[in-house]
Amino acid sequence: MCGIVGYVGKENAVPYLLDGLSRLEYRGYDSAGIAVLTDKGIETEKCTGRVAALRDKAEKHNFSCNLGIGHTRWATHGEVSERNAHPHVSYKGDFAVVHNGIIENYATLRDKLKDEGYAFLSDTDSEVVAHLLERDYNGDLISSLMNTVKKLEGAFALGIICKNLSDTLILIRKESPLVVGKGKDGFYAASDMGALCGVAEESITMNDGEIAVITKEKATFYLSDGNEVFRRFEKSNLCASSAEKGDFPHFMLKEIFEQPSATEHTYRFLSSSGTSSTEELSFLPSLLQTTDRIYIVGCGSAYHTAVAGKYVFEKLTKLPTEAVIASEFCTSSIPVRKNSLCIFVSQSGETADTLSALKKAKEKGATILSVVNVPESSIARKSHKVIYTKAGPEIAVATTKAYSAQLITLYTLAAFSGYYLGVINDGDFRYYMRELSCLPKKIKNILERENEIAEFGKLLSSESSIRFIGRNTDYAAAMEGALKMKEISYIPCEAYPAGELKHGTISLVEKGSITVALCCNDSIFKKTANNIEEIRSRGGDIILITTEKHTEDVTVINRKIIIPDTDDLFVTLLEAIPLQLLAYYTAKEKGCDIDKPRNLAKSVTVE
Ligand code: F6R
């Protein structure tokens, strides 16, 4: 989704702006632009498509400038075009602005400004900010900025430069993230830590409502009431290597192969030595004393981890547990109360739908526990308790390693919760922990069979639609398998609980139509096996994913992927690995843009 960068310092701003935008490419975007302050005033360059094209255009100008802002846009208001790409410049050319988020009252503001004679060049909600900044400027920067901010409704992060403030970068944060970095030759700004990789040695994550006024020499922070506030730069732990593909052709494949370590680090971080005392979860016993119901909330793949987690929490804690799609949570009357524990799952920690649901749950007095991959993200900061998954930065838009780290986190959390609640005894607890500790190795084992799975992927690339079926924890995996396949290969896919097929969907089965059947949950193996036979007897083709223990039961099925055995509760995690590889190799065969699928964004910061 949209990304912001900014620079003020001793060096030319353009290389950082362009490199920073390249590092934000993974978030998903459709156009990009920069604005710099030169001796001619504010100059801009924009283009639709990739940052590489912007680089070609910008390099021709040979801009000489020490101050600038840049943006990658993911269209929300107005078509994908240069005209709508950021930065937007004010009427007289005094201000340029880049914006993330949505100005909800932009239409009213635009009408007012139009009445006053301001001409608009774009269809965006963001352009009103540029004109307002110019109109409200009274010579006193902070009071002028406050005047503008007061008029804006919605969530936003703004990067601003002003023609008359030759070495001043201005940043404003309301709900949408912004980070300020300090390097050897100046200050950097970005909507995402990733853009600061390799340039900033120290950083500050701006708080909601803060304004930062940054010159070559110093960064000054103000609260929303205009009072200055002291902020200390902290050493950044930014590692450029996570932004490199290494020997892998795509980030997605690299991240698929990072899953043994992502799950291992996450599990070890949470479970310490595998004993029943863990520092990271020491808050659990007292929290559980008052919990009578659990909601697990997320979007997309994070929601799928919630579905898988629901089965595990229900069995191990005996507490009623519901998995809820965050955007639905916001619009329904779910009976969240003081004694509800709401677990919000998010890789980015910035997903607007999840943030909105979190706010709603908080208002209702629920305890908020989040499972987040990005430290200092908005969801982490707004939660009562946070568990960080240890997947490391995830670059490919389609999540893989963050998804599996979320799963192992929910599993571990459920096992500890069940034990603390007295639902599972010491022996059972040790059994579940042992099973969990073996999962990273089993993932590695599946990855060793990449070539075999790749062949199935190639086969699927010519399909016009694919069904994914499973029951219970297998169904949670089917949902994720279908999403992964459709988002990167663009093949329409649907996931069904296997038992539901005969209630309607089986009418789609015809000779040669393809179903990926998940059949790893031992307790329901026979039932799903019956559903598979119902498909086969109607001429439908099957790719079966099952476990070693069932090898002998499935000899009649030619196309199958056999994965290691584990407890029924945890099969979803192991099933994800062949499903991710299937999606990857199908998309690769089709020549799709795997790391940056069309229309998608890594961090979805609009509702
Ligand atoms: C799918 C995918 C998305 C995200 C969803 C939530 O591969 O990546 O479905 O899972 O947009 O994002 P986060 O986890 O950042 O809240």
Side-chain angles (χ1 to χ4, degrees):
M1 206 139 264
C2 302
I4 286 178
V5 292
Y7 174 80
V8 58
K10 295 188 199 120
E11 299 296 321
N12 189 338
V14 176
Y16 166 69
L17 296 178
L18 294 170
D19 291 349
L21 290 179
S22 298
R23 285 191 209 101
L24 293 182
E25 280 192 294
Y26 77 96
R27 291 165 65 102
Y29 69 105
D30 40 50
S31 54
I34 57 170
V36 290
L37 190 62
T38 70
D39 48 12
K40 293 187 197 143
I42 290 175
E43 296 191 72
T44 62
E45 188 56 86
K46 307 179 187 188
C47 74
T48 56
R50 296 291 178 221
V51 172
L54 177 69
R55 191 180 288 274
D56 288 346
K57 281 177 107 178
E59 282 174 357
K60 289 195 185 112
H61 291 284
N62 236 338
F63 289 126
S64 163
C65 55
N66 304 109
L67 170 66
I69 48 180
H71 192 260
T72 45
R73 173 175 187 253
W74 187 84
T76 55
H77 295 69
E79 59 177 11
V80 177
S81 64
E82 273 185 30
R83 193 169 63 81
N84 287 332
H86 298 215
H88 294 288
V89 178
S90 62
Y91 190 50
K92 290 191 232 147
D94 288 352
F95 285 86
V97 65
V98 286
H99 164 225
N100 281 4
I102 288 184
I103 308 296
E104 281 164 5
N105 58 336
Y106 82 100
T108 321
L109 293 169
R110 190 181 52 195
D111 290 348
K112 259 197 199 152
L113 285 162
K114 273 187 176 167
D115 288 345
E116 291 175 28
Y118 285 85
F120 279 75
L121 303 178
S122 78
D123 307 319
T124 66
D125 53 333
S126 315
E127 193 182 352
V128 293
V129 183
H131 298 315
L132 279 176
L133 286 166
E134 188 171 274
R135 193 189 70 169
D136 291 341
Y137 190 66
N138 61 16
D140 177 64
L141 182 63
I142 297 300
S143 80
S144 311
L145 293 172
M146 282 167 60
N147 266 338
T148 298
V149 169
K150 241 176 15 211
K151 299 185 181 93
L152 305 176
E153 289 168 17
F156 47 85
L158 301 168
I160 301 163
I161 57 173
C162 171
K163 190 170 100 183
N164 300 319
L165 299 168
S166 62
D167 76 342
T168 307
L169 171 66
I170 301 156
L171 304 169
I172 302 177
R173 172 183 177 156
K174 189 184 160 212
E175 292 182 20
S176 200
L178 270 180
V179 194
V180 182
K182 192 168 154 191
K184 282 196 184 69
D185 52 60
F187 290 94
Y188 303 85
S191 47
D192 179 325
M193 278 280 191
L196 304 182
C197 260
V199 289
E201 290 153 356
E202 298 179 316
S203 65
I204 288 177
T205 301
M206 288 179 69
N207 288 324
D208 255 3
E210 271 180 357
I211 297 174
V213 177
I214 308 171
T215 64
K216 279 183 197 131
E217 282 78 35
K218 62 173 184 165
T220 314
F221 292 82
Y222 299 87
L223 298 172
S224 53
D225 59 8
N227 285 320
E228 197 175 319
V229 58
F230 175 72
R231 298 292 315 270
R232 191 192 300 281
F233 279 91
E234 306 275 353
K235 275 254 162 291
S236 316
N237 199 8
L238 297 170
C239 159
S241 74
S242 58
E244 308 287 338
K245 281 195 282 245
D247 291 335
F248 289 92
H250 295 97
F251 281 108
M252 183 176 174
L253 193 62
K254 175 178 177 243
E255 289 160 3
I256 288 174
F257 273 82
E258 284 170 351
Q259 290 179 108
S261 60
T263 48
E264 170 127 34
H265 290 153
T266 304
Y267 173 72
R268 289 205 182 290
F269 170 68
L270 289 176
S271 65
S272 312
S273 52
T275 64
S276 57
S277 72
T278 159
E279 210 184 305
E280 280 309 314
L281 302 179
S282 56
F283 61 88
L284 260 187
S286 68
L287 170 61
L288 290 166
Q289 270 177 16
T290 55
T291 301
D292 63 9
R293 178 174 285 271
I294 300 173
Y295 295 97
I296 315 178
V297 187
C299 305
S301 298
Y303 166 67
H304 297 157
T305 67
V307 175
K310 167 197 158 75
Y311 295 116
V312 187
F313 270 92
E314 276 180 349
K315 171 136 190 220
L316 299 189
T317 70
K318 298 267 183 283
L319 286 169
T321 305
E322 258 191 73
V324 194
I325 293 174
S327 53
E328 292 294 309
F329 189 96
C330 296
T331 53
S332 46
S333 314
I334 295 169
V336 176
R337 289 185 295 261
K338 229 172 76 218
N339 289 354
S340 308
L341 168 62
C342 293
I343 305 175
F344 290 88
V345 185
S346 175
Q347 186 284 128
S348 62
E350 302 295 346
T351 303
D353 288 324
T354 313
L355 256 177
S356 275
L358 185 157
K359 278 190 212 150
K360 184 170 171 184
K362 216 174 184 181
E363 275 161 25
K364 294 192 167 188
T367 301
I368 312 295
L369 168 63
S370 58
V371 175
V372 170
N373 195 43
V374 179
E376 283 293 309
S377 52
S378 302
I379 290 174
R381 286 146 62 99
K382 287 187 164 39
S383 302
H384 298 122
K385 294 282 173 211
V386 188
I387 298 175
Y388 286 112
T389 46
K390 296 287 169 192
E394 192 177 62
I395 306 294
V397 165
T399 184
T400 52
K401 63 175 179 169
Y403 165 86
S404 45
Q406 287 164 356
L407 273 183
I408 205 158
T409 300
L410 292 177
Y411 294 164
T412 311
L413 194 58
F416 273 99
S417 300
Y419 180 69
Y420 291 148
L421 286 166
V423 177
I424 55 172
N425 64 26
D426 208 43
D428 287 342
F429 176 72
R430 272 191 276 119
Y431 157 76
Y432 286 120
M433 295 309 273
R434 216 174 27 249
E435 283 295 307
L436 288 172
S437 71
C438 293
L439 290 174
K441 210 161 154 217
K442 292 179 182 175
I443 294 175
K444 209 162 164 203
N445 172 302
I446 301 171
L447 289 170
E448 279 160 13
R449 301 197 340 254
E450 178 191 9
N451 292 343
E452 175 196 327
I453 301 167
E455 290 306 313
F456 288 123
K458 287 183 196 157
L459 201 98
L460 288 175
S461 64
S462 55
E463 295 297 327
S464 56
S465 70
I466 307 169
R467 260 178 308 280
F468 290 75
I469 61 161
R471 289 168 182 252
N472 197 273
T473 45
D474 288 333
Y475 173 56
M479 293 169 89
E480 177 62 5
L483 178 64
K484 209 90 300 171
M485 181 64 83
K486 60 189 156 189
E487 67 183 327
I488 63 167
S489 75
Y490 313 145
I491 297 175
C493 297
E494 215 56 74
Y496 300 103
E500 273 290 287
L501 273 183
K502 58 189 174 294
H503 298 292
T505 317
I506 201 159
S507 67
L508 295 175
V509 174
E510 57 186 347
K511 195 166 174 5
S513 69
I514 188 97
T515 302
V516 176
L518 284 310
C519 200
C520 296
N521 187 321
D522 192 36
S523 68
I524 42 169
F525 177 84
K526 283 210 172 86
K527 280 185 186 293
T528 309
N530 286 341
N531 300 134
I532 292 171
E533 282 316 304
E534 284 157 15
I535 294 172
R536 279 168 31 88
S537 59
R538 285 161 180 82
D541 287 337
I542 298 284
I543 292 181
L544 175 72
I545 300 181
T546 191
T547 51
E548 280 160 1
K549 104 169 61 136
H550 291 293
T551 315
E552 294 302 311
D553 305 322
V554 294
T555 45
V556 291
I557 295 178
N558 300 330
R559 295 176 186 152
K560 52 189 172 250
I561 301 167
I562 309 282
I563 63 171
D565 297 311
T566 183
D567 189 90
D568 284 349
L569 290 179
F570 308 144
V571 292
T572 319
L573 176 49
L574 294 186
E575 288 171 313
I577 315 303
L579 290 169
Q580 294 164 352
L581 286 170
L582 271 184
Y584 174 82
Y585 280 102
T586 304
K588 190 165 182 217
E589 186 70 11
K590 290 189 72 185
C592 300
D593 189 352
I594 292 179
D595 283 337
K596 295 184 218 101
R598 68 184 179 211
N599 304 337
L600 291 179
K602 182 71 182 160
S603 182
V604 185
T605 49
V606 292
E607 275 183 60

